[in-house]
Amino acid sequence: CAHTRGDESASSGSGGLEERSFERPQVINGNYPNFPGNINFPFDSAHLTDAAIKIANEYVADLQKWLRATAVIEGHTCDIGTMEYNLALGAKRALAVQSYVIRQGIDPARSAISSYGEESPAMPNDSEKNRKFNRRGVFKFTPGKYPELHSE
C-alpha cells in the first residue's frame, strides 16, 4: 500500500501484531485440493518474503501436477495511498508472484495477472492489523481448466 505522507516505519513495524502467512484457503467449486492461502506482502512492497515463497512453491507444485490448469494471480493492497498508486502496487505484487512461478519452470502462458488495488479487501481497512491481511496476492485457478490429476 502506498504511504503518501509521513514515515513508513510507523505503520509497517510489527508493533506486537501477530504474524500470519496466509488466510483461510479458498476453494473453487468446492472440490479443488486445499489452497495454501494468500501470499502476504510487507507494507508498500512487492517483495516476496520467505513465507510468501513457501506458499508460492505450493502453488507451483499444484501447477506441476495439474498440467493444463491456468491461474490468474491477483494483486491487492490496503487503503493507504491513492487509488492509482494502489492499482499499480497491486499489479507489481501480482507480477512478482507470476515472475517467481515462471522462474520455477511454469510456462508463462499458464498464468495471467490482475490488480484490484484496494477495491477488494479481505478484511475491513479499519486497523493496521486488518490492513496487513489486505496486502496480498491471490491465486485463482481458471474455471473450466481442471484436468484429471497428471499421473506419470
Side-chain angles (χ1 to χ4, degrees):
C1 301
H3 200 325
T4 56
R5 293 169 194 46
D7 179 24
E8 178 178 333
S9 63
S11 296
S12 62
S14 64
L17 295 177
E18 175 186 323
E19 291 296 322
R20 187 170 161 189
S21 61
F22 61 90
E23 298 174 31
R24 181 178 172 198
Q26 296 178 326
V27 177
I28 296 177
N29 297 331
N31 60 8
Y32 192 73
N34 289 333
F35 283 72
N38 293 336
I39 296 171
N40 293 88
F41 288 89
F43 177 75
D44 198 22
S45 174
H47 171 74
L48 291 173
T49 63
D50 290 342
I53 289 171
K54 182 178 178 182
I55 294 168
N57 284 336
E58 293 183 46
Y59 285 113
V60 167
D62 283 344
L63 288 166
Q64 289 169 337
K65 286 187 280 189
W66 296 83
L67 296 180
R68 294 180 300 169
T70 60
V72 174
I73 303 163
E74 299 175 352
H76 298 266
T77 69
C78 67
D79 65 345
I80 298 173
T82 66
M83 189 175 300
E84 295 80 14
Y85 185 92
N86 286 335
L87 280 171
L89 180 56
K92 288 177 186 176
R93 288 175 173 171
L95 183 60
V97 175
Q98 182 188 44
S99 296
Y100 179 80
V101 167
I102 291 167
R103 286 193 310 272
Q104 304 315 302
I106 301 300
D107 183 348
R110 295 182 62 202
S111 64
I113 64 169
S114 179
S115 177
Y116 287 87
E118 64 190 69
E119 294 302 309
S120 186
M123 303 286 284
N125 279 300
D126 57 4
S127 70
E128 177 57 23
K129 184 175 182 180
N130 282 351
R131 283 184 187 101
K132 286 177 68 170
F133 296 113
N134 293 331
R135 302 171 187 142
R136 70 198 192 282
V138 177
F139 255 84
K140 293 209 174 165
F141 286 84
T142 307
K145 300 285 185 178
Y146 302 104
E148 271 68 25
L149 185 62
H150 174 69
S151 60
E152 297 181 0

